[in-house]
Amino acid sequence: QVQLQQWGAGLLKTSETLSLTCAVYGGSLSYDYWNWIRQPPGKGLEWIGDINHSGNTNYNSSLKSRVTISVDTSKNQISLKLKSVTAADTAVYYCARGMAALAARPLDYWGRGTLVTVSS
Amino acid sequence: EFVLTQSPGTLSLSPGERATLSCRASQSVSSDYLAWYQQKPGQAPRLLMYGASSRATGIPDRFSGSGSGTDFTLTISRLEPEDFAVYYCHQYGSSGYTFGQGTKLEIK
């Protein structure tokens, strides 16, 4: 059973860099794609980007200039950095696995989410 | 820009009734690239369907999906109390993942 455990700072000030890590247990990063998704309070889901074990990334074009997703295969972890945050980046951030074997890359395992609040 | 529009925004039904949720794409997509999720308050989304009509592991058969082209549907044949939640569709394409805005299924 794959489990995703995520952590990171929950309170940031405007212009700081958001940094989150997601550890994968019970599975390997060697397959599939590993995603970050966020959800502002009371709103819908927004895909941030993904990465595979080789470090190949894809980003949401609206966030691309501020986002970096990286992988550490030795620790079975992925990380998210989002720079120059504003209040609009306040959200619950999730890591999730996208199944590479299926065209829809459905997100079948999710972390519990980390609420990140940006204040001035 | 590719957009998924879900309707209705809120659906009020009673346990035992049938629920029909719609997801419309701004341009034609292959059903292979369409999935559905359920999200309850304070929880991460849960995968329900992929490839438009294939149930994910552990999903009861009262959930079914259909559709093609630009119009996709999630049907819950007989609502159970635990089915009241928010439902999202998603499409995976060349620009990554696009989510619909969600349909809230509430108890009438």
Side-chain angles (χ1 to χ4, degrees):
Chain A
Q1 178 81 350
V2 175
Q3 294 185 34
L4 280 63
Q5 183 175 342
Q6 53 182 108
W7 64 89
L11 183 61
L12 297 173
K13 295 187 183 302
T14 300
S15 80
E16 291 185 332
T17 296
L18 179 156
S19 182
L20 298 174
T21 300
C22 174
V24 179
Y25 298 100
S28 171
L29 291 180
S30 296
Y31 306 101
D32 302 310
Y33 289 82
W34 303 89
N35 294 263
W36 289 98
I37 294 113
R38 69 180 183 180
Q39 185 171 37
K43 296 188 177 181
L45 301 165
E46 179 181 33
W47 177 71
I48 299 170
D50 67 15
I51 192 167
N52 68 6
H53 70 283
S54 298
N56 298 313
T57 55
N58 294 289
Y59 298 130
N60 185 324
S61 58
S62 68
L63 298 169
K64 190 172 185 176
S65 63
R66 298 193 291 131
V67 172
T68 302
I69 296 175
S70 58
V71 62
D72 185 336
T73 53
S74 67
K75 294 182 179 179
N76 236 32
Q77 294 177 356
I78 62 168
S79 296
L80 168 69
K81 291 190 185 302
L82 178 67
K83 61 183 182 184
S84 304
V85 298
T86 69
D89 295 311
T90 294
V92 175
Y93 286 75
Y94 296 100
C95 58
R97 183 179 83 166
M99 299 172 67
L102 298 171
R105 292 207 190 162
L107 303 163
D108 62 341
Y109 289 101
W110 293 68
R112 298 185 68 175
T114 300
L115 174 60
V116 177
T117 303
V118 181
S119 69
S120 56
Chain B
E1 180 190 3
F2 183 83
V3 176
L4 292 174
T5 302
Q6 293 186 239
S7 62
T10 301
L11 184 58
S12 300
L13 294 170
S14 300
E17 291 192 294
R18 181 185 185 92
T20 303
L21 287 69
S22 172
C23 176
R24 176 163 290 179
S26 58
Q27 54 192 272
S28 184
V29 302
S30 167
S31 60
D32 290 342
Y33 293 85
L34 200 288
W36 289 91
Y37 301 84
Q38 176 194 69
Q39 187 179 33
K40 296 180 180 179
Q43 297 183 16
R46 177 173 73 143
L47 177 66
L48 293 177
M49 315 288 299
Y50 61 89
S53 60
S54 296
R55 279 187 296 277
T57 302
I59 302 304
D61 61 7
R62 64 179 180 274
F63 290 88
S64 63
S66 63
S68 63
T70 60
D71 292 305
F72 298 89
T73 299
L74 175 70
T75 301
I76 310 172
S77 59
R78 293 175 308 279
L79 285 166
E80 298 287 343
E82 61 267 28
D83 298 336
F84 292 92
V86 179
Y87 292 83
Y88 295 95
C89 58
H90 108 233
Q91 185 266 355
Y92 182 81
S94 59
S95 299
Y97 293 82
T98 301
F99 290 94
Q101 83 281 16
T103 290
K104 182 180 181 181
L105 178 56
E106 65 177 22
I107 299 177
K108 187 174 181 181

